[in-house]
Amino acid sequence: MKPKIFLLEDDIELNDTVAQFLRHNDFEIVQSFDAEDAKVKIFETHFDLWLMDVKVPFQSGIGLLSELRRSGNDTPAIIITSLHGVDDATRGFDAGCDDYIRKPFALKELLARIEAVIKRRYKSSDNLIKIDENRIFDALNFRLTVDGEKVALKPKEAKLLALFLQNPNKTVTKEEIFDHLWDYGETPNEGSLRTFVKVLRKHLGKDRIETVKEVGYRFNDRNMGEFL
């Protein structure tokens, strides 16, 4: 499953260039050219990272980010600012961004920053999280390996595992899971969620994922802490 990035940039040529480059590097990209359209798309879909230009129509990228953070959305974000926007970086961090990049930038630098932010979200110096001696999860590509063999997880199963690894030893509510796994227009299904959990327990061990009755689930990370 490809990491999904939201790109807000009103320069059509730059937007298309960045989108094409990131798709070539195995990311799924959703493009937007103004803040009003961005709000709709961010509300409708879960993203793994937001890439936001500061100066866009209707509202600044920083203002939009600040608004999203106040609503409780903690999706990682990188702010794009002009070379002369010396105060944008400070305001961006104050608003809740994880990093920033100044125009003009090299596409390879942008890719490196995106990968670094995604890796930091999983608290790893690289993509691979060692769950235990036999199980490894690729946080960038959402792939699970058990005893050296790749496990064929469905997209929502992989996204659920990623969510658990982001919140070790914390109760994740059913509502949070529904918002994370099901896109706008899809109807969350508790039966499907139970099936996803059952599949993950099969590969991780039955006691790894604890059911919190009437609330949600808790991922037990007693053997975690090592990263490759």
Side-chain angles (χ1 to χ4, degrees):
M1 185 174 61
K2 298 179 180 180
K4 185 179 290 187
I5 293 179
F6 175 75
L7 172 60
L8 173 60
E9 168 60 64
D10 67 333
D11 183 320
I12 296 175
E13 184 176 353
L14 178 59
N15 192 315
D16 287 340
T17 297
V18 170
Q20 182 178 0
F21 173 77
L22 293 177
R23 288 183 181 118
H24 179 73
N25 282 276
D26 213 28
F27 290 92
E28 181 180 347
I29 308 299
V30 173
Q31 296 169 255
S32 186
F33 302 92
D34 66 70
E36 290 299 321
D37 177 68
K39 289 180 184 179
V40 174
K41 289 177 177 175
I42 289 174
F43 173 76
E44 291 178 347
T45 306
H46 167 76
F47 293 96
D48 298 293
L49 183 139
W50 301 324
L51 188 57
M52 295 180 170
D53 187 28
V54 171
K55 296 182 179 180
V56 293
F58 302 118
Q59 184 181 15
S60 74
I62 291 174
L64 174 59
L65 176 60
S66 181
E67 183 178 325
L68 291 167
R69 290 290 188 253
R70 288 195 300 270
S71 74
N73 196 321
D74 66 347
T75 298
I78 296 176
I79 289 291
I80 302 173
T81 181
S82 69
L83 182 62
H84 303 293
V86 292
D87 294 327
D88 289 341
T90 299
R91 294 191 296 118
F93 283 118
D94 288 343
C97 79
D98 296 83
D99 199 357
Y100 74 97
I101 190 168
R102 285 180 175 162
K103 299 177 184 177
F105 52 80
L107 291 173
K108 287 186 177 180
E109 179 189 358
L110 175 63
L111 177 62
R113 289 178 180 272
I114 289 171
E115 291 180 340
V117 168
I118 290 176
K119 291 170 190 175
R120 285 201 300 271
R121 170 52 62 98
Y122 292 90
K123 299 180 176 65
S124 174
S125 59
D126 57 22
N127 303 337
L128 305 180
I129 299 175
K130 185 176 181 180
I131 298 174
D132 57 31
E133 290 300 322
N134 305 310
R135 298 168 179 85
I136 296 171
F137 185 67
D138 184 335
L140 188 59
N141 297 300
F142 297 112
R143 293 172 185 157
L144 176 66
T145 301
V146 178
D147 295 324
E149 299 291 331
K150 292 182 179 179
V151 174
L153 293 178
K154 295 179 180 178
K156 282 185 172 59
E157 294 165 354
K159 288 179 72 174
L160 180 58
L161 177 54
L163 180 63
F164 284 147
L165 293 175
Q166 286 179 263
N167 298 276
N169 292 327
K170 297 179 181 178
T171 298
V172 182
T173 68
K174 294 177 185 178
E175 289 73 20
E176 289 173 323
I177 295 173
F178 290 155
D179 288 343
H180 190 83
L181 266 61
W182 276 267
D183 289 335
Y184 181 80
E186 295 182 325
T187 302
N189 186 300
E190 192 162 344
S192 295
L193 174 56
R194 287 195 295 269
T195 299
F196 301 154
V197 171
K198 183 178 180 180
V199 169
L200 293 182
R201 283 173 172 158
K202 174 184 175 182
H203 297 299
L204 301 177
K206 291 183 178 179
D207 60 347
R208 179 71 74 172
I209 302 172
E210 176 186 351
T211 299
V212 181
K213 191 174 181 180
E214 304 298 330
V215 179
Y217 298 92
R218 181 184 298 116
F219 182 79
N220 184 347
D221 78 337
R222 64 194 182 285
N223 293 321
M224 288 182 62
E226 293 186 46
F227 303 95
L228 301 181

